[in-house]
Amino acid sequence: MTHDANTTVPVISPEDVKEEMTRLIDEFVEDTPGVTHALLASRDGMKQVVPTHMLSTKADEDWADELAAAASGLAALAKGVTGPTGDKRPVQQILIERDDALFLLTEAGVGSAFTESGRSVATVLMVLTRTDANVGTVAFAVGRLVQRFAPFMTTPVRAHDGQGDGAA
């Protein structure tokens, strides 16, 4: 980590950002009851930050690629749906229930550490849990994780009218 000579704010390299966000996701998966996996993907379907345990084999890496693409597609699909008020609004959270897992998906902010060009990339967070996980507890923890991502994002974490700090 270096410091900009004109400020006291530390300048963190993209590699350091990814490393810190990987640590945050690793801690989230380890500390949140029922959570088995999580990954941060770009809105265009590329994995950005993956927990350490998901990269141990080529099959795991391929699965992470598949989840990132699915997260992107689901987020795009949900964003395009007109709601009962006639508006298209940002998606706060998507929940998919299967007989083998629950999938939670939420917007996670915009970061510039995820591309070599330094351009900003919108992200989504996909979390997988066991079927017996307490969805409310996991959703609360997901919101806190997204808030912890905020210092690494160029655009603040979303906040919706009347919903406080934007926690999912």
Side-chain angles (χ1 to χ4, degrees), residues 101-122:
L102 301 175
F103 294 74
L104 282 83
L105 182 71
T106 190
E107 300 280 333
V110 177
S112 60
F114 310 118
T115 62
E116 290 181 21
S117 68
R119 290 190 359 243
S120 294
V121 174

Side-chain angles (χ1 to χ4, degrees), residues 43 67-81 91 94-96 103-105 107 124 126:
R43 289 292 305 246
L67 287 176
S72 170
L74 290 167
L77 182 65
K79 189 175 184 176
V81 174
V91 176
I94 298 168
L95 171 65
I96 298 172
F103 294 74
L104 282 83
L105 182 71
E107 300 280 333
V124 292
M126 164 107 38

